[in-house]
Amino acid sequence: MTHSPDSVLSALAQAAAAATAPVARKEPVTRERHGDVFTDNYEWMRAKESPEVRAHLDAENAYTDEVAAPLAGLREDIFAEIKERTRETDLSVPARRNGYWYFTRTVEGEQYGVRCRVRAQDTGDVLADWTPPVIEPGVPVEGEEVILDGNALAKGLPFFALGGLDVSEDGRWLAYSVDAAGDERYTVRIKDLSSGELLPDEIPGTSAGLALAPDASAVFYILPDESWRPYRLYRHVIGSEGPDELLFEETDEGMWTDFGISGDKRELVIDVGNSEVSEILTLPLGDPEARPRVVVSREQRLLASADPILAQGRPAYLITHNRHGGNNAVALVLAEELEKPFAEQRWIPVVAHRDDVKVDGAGATAAWVLVSQRENTAPGFVVFPRADIEALASSGLDTDDDAPDLAPIRPEFREEIRAVSAGSSYEAPFLTLNYVSFVTPQRVLLFDPATGQQTVLKDTEVPVADLTQYEAIRDWAVAQDGTRIPLSIVKRKDTPKDGTAPAVVYGYGSYEASMDPRFSVARLSLLDRGVVWVVAHIRGGGELGRAWYENGKKLAKKNTFTDYVDATRHVAAAGWADASRIAAWGGSAGGLLMGAVTNMAPELYKAVVAQVPFVDALTTILDPALPLSALEWEEWGNPITDPEVYAYMKSYTPYENVRPASYPAIAAVTSLNDTRVLYVEPAKWVQVLRANQEGPAPIVLKTEMDGGHGGASGRYEGWKDFAWDAAWTLGHLGATERVG
């Protein structure tokens, strides 16, 4: 269908002029902190169950529908394009574990995946036994079992998301958890796969993760506190009606608890920490009377992770740590060393710290040790024979200066801008690689480190699309302080670099999260309308190592915002885009970014999509009772106790810095049941934006009434959400017609 850019722009302007935006009543609430007084007129909207609040959100949705009505046809076109470019009936590459091949099927017309398995064969031919069987989409295999059908579970629910899933080592029990509201509160159930029956065991209100004990006697899970911080680890004996056993409790409200079972199934690993300090404890799984013991204490003020390993038969740990620098190193530490004072422990170096490479973690399989790392923004890994690492236990190495002369194994790839991750079951002799780039869909490879051979197991099919027509290019912007900011430019090859193209600049820049390359079928609908997609790898993320993150957090947070603005100016100055046709996209902490940059430089952007935006950050972080607020102190600082942090945050928090200006067309997209960024933040922000809008562009609030932090559940609903955001952007950029 043809959508003339001029006619769509005209229709949008007419719709915005004709519609009447909801005006929330004002109920002033005064906040006084550190000598500063702030009056908030809309804090009353936090009362989620209030009929008045619900009515207001419904009115906002109706207004949004009216303003965006001229884009309905474009939304339908984009949804149809995503659908036709997706192999709807498909399956994942089977993964072998404990005598079964496990895989997930998707079926055309169904929202959720179907988890399946089929028995594996042991013929004695290692390559044959560990090469996944050929399974056809939509064609059942002899002996195939459906172990969990997400569509059946979701039936009748307003929202559906799996929080955790694990199968016992003997293959009999399946433990899983479900969020039925979008509030990230999960209920754990256990299924007997031999009969298909659910056990009466039911554990409500858990956090996302879970794990079955190797002997299938129990399931481990975590409960959150009132602020939704995971803090209590329990063991539930399957079939037991008594109280579950509390294994660990974290009382520090600024620390988060997570756990997992080691690959060799010997220990439960408990990770406690935040972005600046961590503690690691382990629990031997063969002794029901054992209690967690500390591997790395928080008193050492380290950031670390650990994977248990037997080194020449001696219990040990592969520890990734920042003792020698922020980009981390890897050490082998024998368990017996933990009985000594920390300063006397022998940490045998495996991988030394480097300023130009960030080590993200290390883990072992029965044959290999993998070290994940990031170099030149790109995530990847190196591999070592496990025997070489175990041999270090009897070496004389004990300082970082004595790093061993090990030869890392790494696969080679042609694309510069790409992401590669490795994994496999513990007993697998080979590694499974997941490869992706901005222009290459997910490719699954079988990699034999011993020979370097790569075998393609699956290339994700993208029907009716010629992917050779697209390209990803690395560029660099220069920040105000001279720092070079990496940009990933994704576009059609025939989109000219002459200053005429529309562009979307996407950013995040918080929590050391890296915006790594990923392929998006949905994004092709933007590229095919001549849009240049730009990922700004701004400070506050982790793309260039720990220092990149630290220079964009706390009292350096404004670097994140100015980097994004400088990246936007570069995109126009370098000819990638027309300066008058640039849109901004970001979500969650990236939504805070959207609010900050539109306050700083509203003239740079024609349209903005702020997804679940953290735009009232100061109000939230000042209240430790709100979900996850106390955990934010390590990212932004603590404005409750520190006047400098308060003043700094007050100077950039979007809600408190809206000013009279000609703002772009802003869509704030949120979910009623989001527990990470509450709906009230964008609801308040939109009211203040409209009161200060000096231009004609509309400002809308779109609330998913049954969604969570990721929006509505189900793949088709996700496609519709993207189509809405994309149409809003394309309509206001005047880029509604396909160019290819």
Side-chain angles (χ1 to χ4, degrees):
M1 185 181 296
T2 300
H3 306 279
S4 165
D6 290 341
S7 64
V8 173
L9 282 169
S10 176
L12 284 170
Q14 292 176 26
T20 301
V23 179
R25 66 176 174 83
K26 295 181 179 180
E27 183 180 307
V29 174
T30 300
R31 180 188 74 210
E32 296 186 24
R33 290 274 184 174
H34 306 298
D36 175 70
V37 178
F38 174 71
T39 299
D40 190 339
N41 290 317
Y42 303 107
E43 182 62 14
W44 65 270
M45 297 170 71
R46 193 175 296 278
K48 179 180 176 181
E49 302 304 325
S50 162
E52 183 181 8
V53 170
R54 296 296 184 104
H56 176 77
L57 295 178
D58 287 339
E60 288 281 12
N61 279 343
Y63 171 71
T64 298
D65 288 344
E66 187 175 356
V67 168
L71 300 171
L74 181 58
R75 290 195 296 270
E76 292 171 4
D77 286 356
I78 293 171
F79 178 83
E81 290 166 15
I82 297 170
K83 198 170 186 292
E84 73 176 351
R85 285 171 170 157
T86 302
R87 184 68 67 190
E88 295 179 72
T89 296
D90 205 351
L91 74 160
S92 65
V93 173
R96 180 167 174 162
R97 180 187 173 198
N98 296 324
Y100 286 92
W101 290 102
Y102 290 88
F103 54 98
T104 300
R105 290 189 182 273
T106 55
V107 180
E108 183 175 357
E110 299 284 5
Q111 295 270 23
Y112 305 99
V114 180
R115 310 296 179 108
C116 307
R117 71 179 181 182
V118 65
R119 285 196 176 273
Q121 301 297 315
D122 288 306
T123 66
D125 182 332
V126 175
L127 180 59
D129 290 345
W130 285 94
T131 299
V134 176
I135 299 175
E136 296 294 328
V139 180
V141 177
E142 183 180 354
E144 180 177 337
E145 301 174 56
V146 172
I147 63 173
L148 194 73
D149 184 345
N151 303 289
L153 286 177
K155 191 174 183 180
L157 298 178
F159 182 92
F160 172 78
L162 281 175
L165 184 145
D166 195 17
V167 179
S168 60
E169 296 292 291
D170 62 6
R172 178 177 179 182
W173 304 113
L174 170 71
Y176 66 92
S177 62
V178 170
D179 170 10
D183 58 2
E184 298 184 64
R185 290 165 167 79
Y186 298 87
T187 297
V188 175
R189 299 302 308 270
I190 300 170
K191 182 178 181 180
D192 184 344
L193 295 178
S194 65
S195 66
E197 299 296 320
L198 281 177
L199 302 188
D201 307 57
E202 187 171 3
I203 310 167
T206 74
S207 294
L210 58 79
L212 282 162
D215 64 2
S217 64
V219 61
F220 300 96
Y221 65 92
I222 286 183
L223 286 183
D225 64 12
E226 292 181 356
S227 69
W228 212 238
R229 174 184 65 94
Y231 82 125
R232 283 181 175 170
L233 173 64
Y234 286 90
R235 172 166 41 204
H236 169 77
V237 176
I238 296 176
S240 170
E241 296 181 358
D244 292 343
E245 180 184 8
L246 176 64
L247 298 175
F248 176 80
E249 178 176 4
E250 177 52 56
T251 58
D252 186 336
E253 62 185 2
M255 302 281 271
W256 184 294
T257 304
D258 197 5
F259 75 98
I261 293 178
S262 62
D264 60 13
K265 309 302 178 185
R266 293 186 304 109
E267 298 184 60
L268 185 89
V269 181
I270 305 169
D271 294 296
V272 184
N274 52 44
S275 65
E276 296 189 341
V277 63
S278 58
E279 182 166 88
I280 303 169
L281 306 94
T282 61
L283 178 72
L285 290 172
D287 181 2
E289 302 301 319
R291 288 295 173 265
R293 76 164 182 176
V294 175
V295 175
V296 176
S297 169
R298 70 190 69 189
E299 295 176 0
Q300 309 308 325
R301 304 301 298 176
L302 294 178
L303 281 171
S305 61
D307 189 39
I309 184 174
L310 284 176
Q312 299 179 330
R314 301 160 73 184
Y317 299 94
L318 281 170
I319 299 181
T320 303
H321 62 90
N322 64 343
R323 289 181 71 173
H324 308 300
N327 278 350
N328 297 334
V330 180
L332 177 68
V333 182
L334 295 169
E336 62 203 49
E337 294 292 315
L338 303 177
E339 306 300 326
K340 303 176 183 178
F342 179 74
E344 299 175 15
Q345 294 173 10
R346 180 172 172 245
W347 287 37
I348 305 168
V350 175
V351 174
H353 175 272
R354 288 174 56 183
D355 290 334
D356 59 342
V357 176
K358 170 72 184 301
V359 175
D360 289 325
T365 71
W368 308 102
V369 167
L370 289 77
V371 177
S372 59
Q373 60 184 37
R374 181 178 302 276
E375 189 170 4
N376 295 324
T377 78
F381 67 96
V382 293
V383 188
F384 302 95
R386 175 164 170 160
D388 291 355
I389 304 304
E390 288 193 35
L392 297 176
S394 55
S395 73
L397 303 174
D398 63 0
T399 71
D400 197 51
D401 293 334
D402 293 331
D405 186 19
L406 298 174
I409 302 166
R410 69 181 80 208
E412 296 298 326
F413 302 101
R414 278 187 252 174
E415 288 181 285
E416 175 193 1
I417 308 175
R418 41 83 178 150
V420 187
S421 60
S424 72
S425 59
Y426 181 79
E427 64 270 26
F430 310 115
L431 301 179
T432 301
L433 309 187
N434 284 287
Y435 177 96
V436 71
S437 79
F438 286 112
V439 295
T440 303
Q442 183 189 41
R443 176 175 295 155
V444 182
L445 305 161
L446 192 69
F447 175 56
D448 182 359
T451 64
Q453 182 176 353
Q454 299 180 32
T455 303
V456 176
L457 300 178
K458 180 176 182 176
D459 273 321
T460 300
E461 220 179 318
V462 183
V464 301
D466 180 2
L467 299 184
T468 65
Q469 299 302 306
Y470 306 93
E471 62 184 346
I473 302 167
R474 173 53 42 82
D475 195 10
W476 297 82
V478 179
Q480 297 173 12
D481 62 3
T483 300
R484 297 178 75 233
I485 308 160
L487 308 178
S488 295
I489 312 289
V490 190
K491 66 182 191 70
R492 286 182 59 91
K493 291 179 179 177
D494 56 8
T495 298
K497 186 185 176 183
D498 62 359
T500 63
V504 171
V505 180
Y506 178 84
Y508 188 76
S510 291
Y511 303 108
E512 205 174 357
S514 298
M515 299 300 100
D516 291 331
R518 70 179 186 87
F519 183 83
S520 169
V521 164
R523 186 171 56 225
L524 298 180
S525 292
L526 291 167
L527 304 185
D528 281 352
R529 288 169 173 83
V531 170
V532 175
W533 180 271
V534 181
V535 179
H537 302 285
I538 50 185
R539 281 175 283 186
E543 287 90 341
L544 291 177
R546 181 70 181 184
W548 196 249
Y549 167 53
E550 291 178 339
N551 286 323
K553 66 180 292 192
K554 288 191 174 180
L555 296 178
K557 188 64 207 170
K558 288 183 183 179
N559 285 336
T560 301
F561 315 137
T562 56
D563 280 3
Y564 186 90
V565 169
D566 291 336
T568 303
R569 291 191 169 117
H570 173 84
V571 166
W576 293 114
D578 178 347
S580 67
R581 302 174 71 201
I582 297 177
W585 276 35
S588 196
L592 184 154
L593 171 69
M594 296 297 96
V597 301
T598 50
N599 285 337
M600 292 169 58
E603 72 281 358
L604 293 182
Y605 306 100
K606 187 70 173 179
V608 174
V609 175
Q611 300 154 327
V612 289
F614 191 34
V615 285
D616 193 18
L618 185 52
T619 299
T620 296
I621 296 173
L622 283 168
D623 187 353
L626 292 177
L628 306 178
S629 290
L631 294 168
E632 301 289 356
W633 297 337
E634 301 304 325
E635 179 72 20
W636 314 92
N638 188 343
I640 299 174
T641 60
D642 192 328
E644 185 180 12
V645 169
Y646 177 91
Y648 188 75
M649 290 193 69
K650 178 80 182 296
S651 72
Y652 69 71
T653 303
Y655 180 58
E656 300 180 29
N657 286 279
V658 175
R659 58 184 173 86
S662 182
Y663 283 99
I666 297 175
V669 181
T670 189
S671 295
L672 183 64
N673 293 326
D674 189 348
T675 55
R676 295 177 182 264
V677 179
L678 301 185
Y679 72 91
V680 67
E681 297 199 24
K684 292 163 57 176
W685 180 53
V686 162
Q687 289 297 307
V688 178
L689 279 170
R690 287 197 193 124
N692 285 274
Q693 174 65 293
E694 294 183 335
I699 296 168
V700 302
L701 175 68
K702 176 176 175 282
T703 304
E704 172 56 59
M705 302 303 280
D706 292 312
H709 195 58
S713 64
R715 58 174 175 165
Y716 294 108
E717 297 308 309
W719 297 351
K720 290 176 184 176
D721 286 347
F722 182 92
W724 196 98
D725 296 347
W728 177 266
T729 302
L730 293 168
H732 287 96
L733 292 182
T736 53
E737 293 189 321
R738 294 183 62 161
V739 297

